[in-house]
Amino acid sequence: MIKLSVVIITFNEEKNIARCLDSVKKVADEIVVLDSFSKDRTKEICLSHGVSFFEHAFDGHIQQKNRAITYANNPYVLSLDADEALDETLEKSILEVKQNWTHDGYYMNRLTNYCGHWVKHCNWYPDRKLRLWDSRKGSWTGINPHDKYELFEGDKNTKHIKGDILHYSYNSLEDHYKQVEYFTNIASKAYFEKGKKAPWFKLVANPVAKFISHYFIHLGFLDGKAGFLISKISAYATWLKYKKIRALYANLPIDKQVQNAETFLISRTDSIGDVILTLPMAGILKKQFPACTVIFLGRNYTKDVIEACSFVDTFVSYDELFKKPESEQINFIRSLHISTCIHVFPKKEVGQLVKKAGVKNRIGTTNRAHHWFTCNKLVKLSRKNSDLHEAQLNLKLLKPLGIDK
């Protein structure tokens, strides 16, 4: 029988967390709670249930959930939100899986309670969720706040098990509207940072389409008043998200703040001399984006030189990174939240890794064949046929960022 860690993230969940913890007692060999410094009795309640309790400032649902997994002592994980609980059928199914674990991950249905009504339609049920998995085989992805767990090999080795996650979502309409405001703030900023636009026709058409989908196509009317309210508020949330995205694009100072907060990875994995000629790039990035983070990927023997540069925030060892299994490499790169990778020294395996990890901007040169497959920002650059110094040529790779040196 495998040992199972139940992993939960929390913030001010004193109304829900006890129910959640009680529901997993029979299936959990360990319960891990990662809290965002709750101001209510969440911590007290968790400790009274004997959980392993940790605290970390909240920096996004995806980031926090991936971080929480690292505190678990077992690779087999059941992930729940604090406002969720297992029904008896699902509890039994998970106990059976523990006796004979045969797949990388297990899907289950989620049934939502909305203001006292269990919602069976509105595209809210069966609401399949991948919540039971081998944490070595995947990671949390998506666009905040809409996280989803994805296996590196896809769903080819998954299974659906019987039973429901019981989701106690909203106790009142006021709760629902507050959540809409909160989630659209997060979603609009996440879409904006990824460069996703909100043209006027989406602002008009998508909310209408959302209502029609929930209320008519997915039979929301069969849920009565609750179905109508869910459909209406879901349409409003769609409209509000696009409105906020448009407001962000219209506000240049906010745009600059988002850009400034980006994280850059400079990849230079060859000699010390070449690394020294690349370090000015870190200074240029800091000058252009004062609040940015600069990470440098290099060989172990270049570490001291790189860390001596005040413009580099973090050194990552190529030698240590590529000793790990591929799944751990991908998880590590994702944990750094890199927005742009600059391939100063072309290394095929590095290009493949950052692409698999979902790094948004991947800058390379046109004269390297593998960059055509692993990079999405290509710079025409020839070191052999240029009068420019190596250090100057390196800076040409910043052109896709609007920096022309």
Side-chain angles (χ1 to χ4, degrees):
M1 178 191 294
I2 60 97
K3 288 188 177 296
L4 182 67
S5 295
V6 176
V7 177
I8 307 162
I9 66 170
T10 57
F11 179 68
N12 291 345
E13 292 287 355
E14 65 178 8
K15 294 181 180 178
N16 294 308
I17 190 62
R19 177 181 57 229
C20 178
L21 297 175
D22 287 339
S23 78
V24 300
K25 282 183 176 179
K26 293 182 180 179
V27 304
D29 296 287
E30 172 192 45
I31 301 176
V32 173
V33 174
L34 178 58
D35 186 69
S36 304
F37 299 100
S38 291
K39 298 177 181 179
D40 62 3
R41 297 178 56 249
T42 298
K43 182 175 182 178
E44 175 188 337
I45 295 169
C46 287
L47 293 176
S48 71
H49 280 72
V51 310
S52 298
F53 189 86
F54 303 92
E55 293 174 301
H56 192 285
F58 185 80
D59 54 356
H61 290 82
I62 295 166
Q63 293 85 347
Q64 194 79 331
K65 287 188 175 183
N66 277 324
R67 182 178 295 113
I69 296 169
T70 66
Y71 292 109
N73 289 313
N74 307 303
Y76 302 100
V77 170
L78 170 66
S79 177
L80 291 178
D81 292 337
D83 61 356
E84 296 174 338
L86 308 182
D87 74 1
E88 291 183 3
T89 303
L90 184 55
E91 176 190 278
K92 181 180 178 182
S93 295
I94 293 172
L95 288 172
E96 290 173 354
V97 168
K98 287 185 65 178
Q99 292 284 352
N100 184 28
W101 187 284
T102 57
H103 293 72
D104 292 340
Y106 295 85
Y107 279 92
M108 56 205 68
N109 294 341
R110 184 170 73 163
L111 177 62
T112 296
N113 187 290
Y114 182 81
C115 301
H117 175 83
W118 292 106
V119 180
K120 295 294 185 70
H121 307 92
C122 284
N123 201 28
W124 277 25
Y125 190 79
D127 193 18
R128 281 184 5 127
K129 298 293 182 183
L130 180 62
R131 294 294 191 81
L132 181 62
W133 18 258
D134 182 339
S135 62
R136 297 166 294 191
K137 303 293 182 68
S139 67
W140 286 99
T141 64
I143 298 179
N144 282 319
H146 301 296
D147 49 64
K148 61 178 178 178
Y149 197 85
E150 290 188 346
L151 296 167
F152 299 133
E153 301 296 326
D155 286 346
K156 64 183 181 181
N157 190 29
T158 61
K159 181 181 179 180
H160 189 276
I161 58 177
K162 294 179 180 179
D164 293 328
I165 298 173
L166 302 177
H167 181 210
Y168 296 86
S169 62
Y170 308 108
N171 294 317
S172 67
L173 289 179
E174 183 183 2
D175 287 346
H176 196 173
Y177 278 110
K178 283 182 180 178
Q179 191 78 319
V180 165
E181 187 67 31
Y182 171 67
F183 274 6
T184 53
N185 281 340
I186 297 173
S188 59
K189 289 175 183 176
Y191 273 64
F192 177 68
E193 290 173 7
K194 288 182 174 289
K196 294 181 179 291
K197 301 292 181 67
W200 66 268
F201 65 85
K202 284 191 174 182
L203 186 69
V204 175
N206 285 25
V208 175
K210 178 69 74 172
F211 181 86
I212 291 172
S213 173
H214 277 23
Y215 196 67
F216 294 106
I217 297 175
H218 289 98
L219 308 179
F221 59 86
L222 294 179
D223 278 303
K225 182 180 179 181
F228 176 77
L229 291 172
I230 290 169
S231 302
K232 183 183 78 169
I233 297 174
S234 296
Y236 168 70
T238 301
W239 173 83
L240 189 60
K241 178 183 72 176
Y242 285 117
K243 181 185 177 184
K244 290 180 178 180
I245 294 171
R246 290 174 67 87
L248 287 171
Y249 274 103
N251 191 335
L252 188 59
I254 292 178
D255 177 66
K256 287 182 178 178
Q257 290 169 18
V258 172
Q259 288 183 3
N260 284 343
E262 289 189 358
T263 298
F264 298 96
L265 175 68
I266 300 173
S267 176
R268 182 98 213 199
T269 57
D270 50 348
S271 68
I272 291 178
D274 289 319
V275 165
I276 291 172
L277 295 177
T278 304
L279 290 175
M281 179 180 287
I284 296 294
L285 289 170
K286 286 288 188 177
K287 182 178 180 180
Q288 186 74 14
F289 308 104
C292 76
T293 299
V294 176
I295 302 171
F296 205 112
L297 177 67
R299 304 300 295 265
N300 280 343
Y301 53 78
T302 64
K303 180 180 179 181
D304 290 343
V305 172
I306 293 168
E307 290 186 337
C309 177
S310 61
F311 300 117
V312 175
D313 298 290
T314 305
F315 169 80
V316 173
S317 168
Y318 167 88
D319 305 277
E320 298 303 319
L321 178 60
F322 280 86
K323 287 180 182 177
K324 303 175 184 289
E326 184 182 61
S327 61
E328 292 185 24
Q329 295 173 24
I330 293 171
N331 271 339
F332 177 76
I333 293 298
R334 285 177 174 169
S335 73
L336 298 176
H337 311 303
I338 299 162
S339 53
T340 300
C341 176
I342 306 163
H343 295 283
V344 185
F345 180 72
K347 199 78 170 174
K348 186 176 180 180
E349 57 265 36
V350 176
Q352 292 172 334
L353 173 59
V354 296
K355 182 179 180 182
K356 289 178 180 178
V359 173
K360 178 185 173 185
N361 301 309
R362 306 177 301 278
I363 302 173
T365 63
T366 57
N367 62 329
R368 295 288 178 169
H370 60 86
H371 280 175
W372 288 87
F373 299 98
T374 58
C375 298
N376 56 3
K377 309 284 183 183
L378 295 174
V379 177
K380 190 174 182 181
L381 187 67
S382 174
R383 300 183 189 276
K384 292 182 180 180
N385 302 315
S386 175
D387 295 328
L388 294 176
H389 190 272
E390 174 84 7
Q392 293 173 298
L393 280 170
N394 291 338
L395 298 181
K396 294 297 180 184
L397 290 168
L398 301 180
K399 194 171 183 179
L401 301 173
I403 305 172
D404 196 359
K405 295 290 183 181

